[in-house]
Amino acid sequence: MKPRLASIHLPERFHGPMRFGRRWRGHELALRLVQLALLVVVAAVGARLIAAAVTFGTRAVANFFGA
């Protein structure tokens, strides 16, 4: 398979203005705040899952070596 390079316009799709249509016009700030809140929630849940996995792994290794 030939590698496909990303388009030079790819960043514009993610960092440009949001396009939700006329119904959401004027609510961009509120939508960005909701997006930020969701990002924080997902990051917190992910951090807790990673911390739990590390703790579980550490205990498993400690029990394996008889500590």
Side-chain angles (χ1 to χ4, degrees):
M1 290 177 56
K2 291 169 47 176
R4 294 176 54 188
L5 299 176
S7 169
I8 60 171
H9 302 291
L10 188 62
E12 293 174 6
R13 294 184 58 97
F14 297 107
H15 299 289
M18 295 188 296
R19 294 178 184 89
F20 288 113
R22 288 186 180 166
R23 182 188 310 176
W24 299 102
R25 192 166 308 226
H27 296 90
E28 287 86 3
L29 179 61
L31 291 170
R32 290 286 184 187
L33 291 175
V34 169
Q35 182 183 24
L36 180 63
L38 285 173
L39 177 68
V40 168
V41 168
V42 169
V45 169
R48 290 184 70 187
L49 283 173
I50 290 171
V54 168
T55 303
F56 180 77
T58 304
R59 287 182 182 167
V61 169
N63 287 338
F64 179 75
F65 288 116

